Every structure is written in C-alpha cells, then in structure tokens.
Amino acid sequence: MLNRRGVLAAGGLAAGVFGVPQLLTPAQGHEAHGTEFQESKTFTGAKPEIVPWTRPMPVPPVLRPLVSTPKQEIYQLSIDRTTAEILPGLQSPVMGFGGQFVGPTIKAKTGRKTLIMLQNKMDEAANVHLHGGHVPAEHDGHPKDLVEPGRTRLYLYPNTQQGTTLWYHDHSHGNEAAHVYLGLHGAYVIEDDSERALNLPSGAYDVPILLRDIQFDDSGNIVVFDDPAKRTVVLANGVPQPYFEVAARKYRFRLINSANQRVFKLRLTGDTFTRIGSDGGLLANSVEAEELILSSAERTDVVIDFTKYPVGTKVLLTDAAAGEILRFDVVRRASDSSRVPAVLRPLPAMPLSTVDREVDLAFVFKPNERPDGVINGKVFDMDRVDFTIKRGSTETWLIKSSDPAGVKHNFHLHLVQFRVLERNGGPPLPSDAGLKDTIPISAGETVKVQATFTGYTGRYVYHCHFLEHSWIGMMAQLEIVP
Ligand code: C2O
Ligand code: CU
Ligand code: CU
C-alpha cells in the first residue's frame, strides 16, 4: 500500500489531499500515484451512479468470542485484503478487520477484559488501536508496534472505563491514513451495569452507525490520496445512501465519524435528536439537538424516537455538505419500555490542574513539495518524547493552530478522556460536552482542555485525527512516568 515509494511519490503532492484550501496551495505538484490501487486508473470526477434508498444499511455483525467468562473474553480477529460491493455491481479492493470493509462490532463490558488475537493476513504490516480506550501502552497500537505480515499479536483491553462507544482502527506508522481509508475500522462498544439500569433502548434497538466519505475512480477502485473535497460519496456502515427499517419506537444510534478528514453536520428532516453520550460515555443530562457536529473520530450517542410516526413514514438523516445520507423507514409498530431519562449520569469530578501546556497543530508549507505536519514545530519522531507527564497528575492543555485562517485540524489524545473547559475564551460547543478524546480545532481557535493521566505509565501519542495530517507528521508523543 503506501510503502516507502508511496511516501516519496506523495512528496510532489498538491496540498489538496491535506484539506488545505486552494489559496494556500503551494505551486501545484503532480498528483500522487503512490498506491497500487490507483495506478493506471482514471477518475473523470463524475459522481458515481448511486440510486438512493435501494439497499439496506447493514448492521456490522457482533464478533463472537472464542472464550467467554465473567472475567474475560477472548477473540480472534484477522486483518485481510478483500473486496466489497460499495458501489452497486462493482467490487472494490478494500482492507478489513475480519475480512469486512466495516469490521465486526466488538462488545465489551466494564470490568471484563477483552483479549484479541490479531492475525495479519495481509502482505504488509498493520496494527490496531482502540480509539478512546484506557489501555496499557503496549496494547495501545502505538505506531511503532506493528503486526508484520503473517504474524499474530495479542491485545489486552482491560475495559476499566464506563460504558461508551469506542472504535478500533489501524494506527501503523506512515500507513494509518491509507489503511483506515481502505476499511480498517470497526465499532467497539463498552456496556456497564449502571447504564443498563437506565433502561435506554438496547439490543436490536441499539445500533452503531459508522459514517465516512470516500472517493472512487471509474472502475470502482477506491482513490486513496486525492483532494478530500472529491470524497463525495458518504457511507453509512459501508453503503451509500441506504435505508434502515425501524419500528415506531425509540432507538439508540451510536454515531461514529470514521472519515479520514471530515466534519459532519447532521440533521433529521422534521425531527430532532436526543443526545445522550459523547466520546467517553453518557452525558450528565440528555439534550435535544437539531444539529450534530461530528468531526473525524468523534462519537455521539443519540436517541431518535419514531413512536409518533405512522407506519410508512420516512425520516432522512442529512449532512450540510453531502445532503441526504441515510433514510429511516418506519415499517412496523412495536412496544417500547425503554426510556430516555433527563438525568443520565454525573460526570466525574475534575481534580485541580497543576501543569499547563500548549499544543499547536500546524503545517509547514514548502514550495513545490508536500507540506510537513508538525506539533509545536516538530514532525513526529517515534524516538522523541515531547511531554513527560507524572502519572496521576491533572493538566490543562491549550490546543490551537497557528495555521492561516481556513485550515482545519482535529486534536486527539490517547489513553485518557479530557474535558473541554473553554473554546475561544468562551463556553465549549454543545459537541464539546462530556468526556472527550477528540475535538475539531480550526486555525485561529483556542480550546482549553483538562485531563487526568491515571492508570498506566509508558508512551502514548497525541495527534491531529485528520489522518492525512498525522500521516505527514502531525503527531507527537507523551510519556507517563511513575
Ligand atoms: Cu483514532 Cu491515534 O487514533
Ligand atoms: Cu486514539
Ligand atoms: Cu490536522
């Protein structure tokens, strides 16, 4: 995939792939053809022919454990190349966990360990990172920790955190952008008993939806490194513009933005969402929301109540830029004993912060060359520690971007959930509420966040989660010391 040669070939890239507005583009380089899927393929720029609402939205199957005890569950999971019918009648080469373009959903429970034997059946190294997971450093899928072709690696996830919606994806150094884009992503749901006691919609009425965008060439191959503005096809669980049959009752949808770089602005035609959770779990209170802003890697849990709709009603999920992306078809009546309490779960108290830091996400533009991605002026170096943090300490980080206006980034911190204290000196956005691990940050903005680094020692990364940005170096490393 994006091997060394690919990286070099990409050196001549126009800045388009990084989502940099045209006015900032250094002198145009040639287009990248660094990946084998792109070679000698044509892209006329035509939007592929998609007849909306002809295919159902699949719900990714839940991965079955090999062994399940109250203390732990053991799974086997492969990474493989395969094909997927994303566009009707066309088989696109993809990568998949469990051989699926959207990997199987892994269900976990607070207090019960998950062990995954990950076998790499591909011809190139890859790995897995549990995004938002509180896991020991050696199991975090650090960019340097790769699973070589043909090898198996054991990942241990302690699941000590409360119930929430996480996702897992590749994090291999220099390849994460291509790998995730080609399909190495899936949902990871942690449930806990106190959440169950709230009696939110559950079982078949609790559905993860991975939303992402994608670009195809004329033969149905996925175009990996081009301008993200050309990723005009939006997929819900791997299918463009699907319908999803629902009963006239409440549903919980766990929305996951698995796009490499995109901010969704979601609405429902004629209805609102009830937001109940964000990256790290339930919000303190449920909130009515007309619009959901969801940047790459962010999650939001919502309840949609279809009770009021007569059978036959169709409710559209729309995005401000992409238009209609998913249609809910109310097809039957159903009884519903679930609830959406106004008060959900208090957020943990915030200890006093003792350390202040600044994190500046930026590009270094170079004429006729690929820009570098930097954090605090430095390109990612796996052997360099950027911040040393004392275990257990609470810190305040000011996240900003010194880039020219119009450039967008997306800050993500591994290991812990943080709280957004301020955005641009004012209150956080509704989408910043609750426990967070990822937040959008545009040039000119400043976001103050607070995190407590409990649990493990070792090295973890933080980075821009626009994956074409982390891929060119917009990533840094912290080390937690006893
Ligand atoms: Cu979603 Cu560093 O990862
Ligand atoms: Cu992560
Ligand atoms: Cu960025």
Side-chain angles (χ1 to χ4, degrees), residues 129-133 140 167 169 171 297 299 412-415 437-438 461-463 465:
H129 162 60
L130 179 60
H131 181 117
D140 194 46
W167 64 301
H169 62 76
H171 215 306
R299 286 86 67 208
H412 169 49
L413 174 60
H414 280 222
L415 179 67
D437 55 53
T438 309
V461 293
Y462 52 99
H463 56 93
H465 215 293

Side-chain angles (χ1 to χ4, degrees), residues 408-409 464 469 474:
K408 287 181 182 161
H409 298 292
C464 181
H469 297 188
M474 209 176 290

Side-chain angles (χ1 to χ4, degrees), residues 58-66 68 73-77 97-98 100 102-109 112 114 116 168 186-191 196 202-210 237 254:
V59 177
V62 174
L63 191 62
R64 283 220 215 95
L66 297 176
S68 180
E73 289 189 307
I74 304 175
Y75 294 91
Q76 202 159 30
L77 188 62
F97 287 107
Q100 296 166 220
V102 175
T105 298
I106 299 171
K107 283 215 172 158
K109 193 169 182 280
R112 182 169 67 193
T114 298
I116 295 178
Y168 62 97
Y188 186 101
V189 173
I190 304 181
E191 293 177 331
R196 197 161 295 167
S202 61
Y205 307 108
D206 174 353
V207 181
I209 303 180
L210 282 88
N237 287 343
R254 301 171 184 264

Side-chain angles (χ1 to χ4, degrees), residues 253-370:
F253 293 108
R254 301 171 184 264
L255 303 173
I256 301 169
N257 182 345
S258 60
N260 273 22
Q261 45 174 318
R262 186 178 189 110
V263 182
F264 285 106
K265 289 191 177 140
L266 304 170
R267 283 174 179 265
L268 285 172
T269 49
D271 207 344
T272 57
F273 309 92
T274 307
R275 269 200 88 202
I276 57 168
S278 71
D279 299 345
L282 291 178
L283 299 172
N285 301 289
S286 53
V287 211
E288 288 307 300
E290 258 172 37
E291 186 176 65
L292 303 172
I293 297 183
L294 197 63
S295 187
S296 289
E298 285 188 297
R299 286 86 67 208
T300 185
D301 281 18
V302 298
V303 171
I304 302 177
D305 189 354
F306 299 102
T307 310
K308 57 192 170 291
Y309 294 118
V311 168
T313 307
K314 321 227 185 265
V315 180
L316 286 164
L317 180 71
T318 64
D319 170 62
E324 299 169 351
I325 58 182
L326 168 62
R327 193 180 75 184
F328 298 104
D329 293 1
V330 183
V331 295
R332 63 189 168 89
R333 308 221 60 85
S335 62
D336 186 359
S337 58
S338 70
R339 300 183 335 115
V340 192
V343 177
L344 296 166
R345 170 157 50 197
L347 294 169
M350 289 196 287
L352 207 66
S353 166
T354 53
V355 179
D356 287 324
R357 301 186 196 266
E358 242 182 59
V359 177
D360 180 0
L361 309 175
F363 289 113
V364 175
F365 295 104
K366 298 179 268 185
N368 294 314
E369 247 185 279
R370 192 192 80 177

